[in-house]
Amino acid sequence: MTLWRQVLAALSDDTLEEAERERVLARGAAQLAVRRAPEGQQATPEAVMAVALSEFALLLTAGQARAALREVRRARG
């Protein structure tokens, strides 16, 4: 399942475990932060946290944001 399908499912599926929901939404926020970062700059954990809050109403810790960024960067190669 693609990341964005997972994000949509996480936003709408009440049966999903909270930890899994947060992990999926954190990855979505990290993906958006990476795409929105200015040319030549890398997304920061702070940017991921801001995106998670504004787009998904999700408060992430810095550790969750860093982990999500690592996953997204690893997936992009």
Side-chain angles (χ1 to χ4, degrees), residues 53-64:
L53 183 59
S54 66
E55 300 294 336
F56 305 128
L58 176 67
L59 288 173
L60 292 178
T61 66
Q64 289 171 310

Side-chain angles (χ1 to χ4, degrees), residues 26-49:
R27 285 181 48 225
Q31 179 78 19
L32 286 173
V34 166
R35 290 184 179 187
R36 293 175 181 174
E39 182 84 25
Q41 294 183 16
Q42 290 194 357
T44 63
E46 292 78 14
V48 174
M49 291 166 37

Side-chain angles (χ1 to χ4, degrees), residues 5-74:
R5 287 183 187 207
Q6 290 175 341
V7 167
L8 290 174
L11 289 170
S12 61
D13 186 355
D14 294 337
T15 64
L16 197 62
E17 291 182 19
E18 189 65 22
E20 178 64 13
R21 179 182 168 278
E22 285 182 2
R23 189 183 71 75
V24 169
L25 294 178
R27 285 181 48 225
Q31 179 78 19
L32 286 173
V34 166
R35 290 184 179 187
R36 293 175 181 174
E39 182 84 25
Q41 294 183 16
Q42 290 194 357
T44 63
E46 292 78 14
V48 174
M49 291 166 37
V51 169
L53 183 59
S54 66
E55 300 294 336
F56 305 128
L58 176 67
L59 288 173
L60 292 178
T61 66
Q64 289 171 310
R66 281 191 299 274
L69 267 176
R70 279 193 301 272
E71 285 187 48
V72 166
R73 288 176 180 152
R74 185 173 36 245

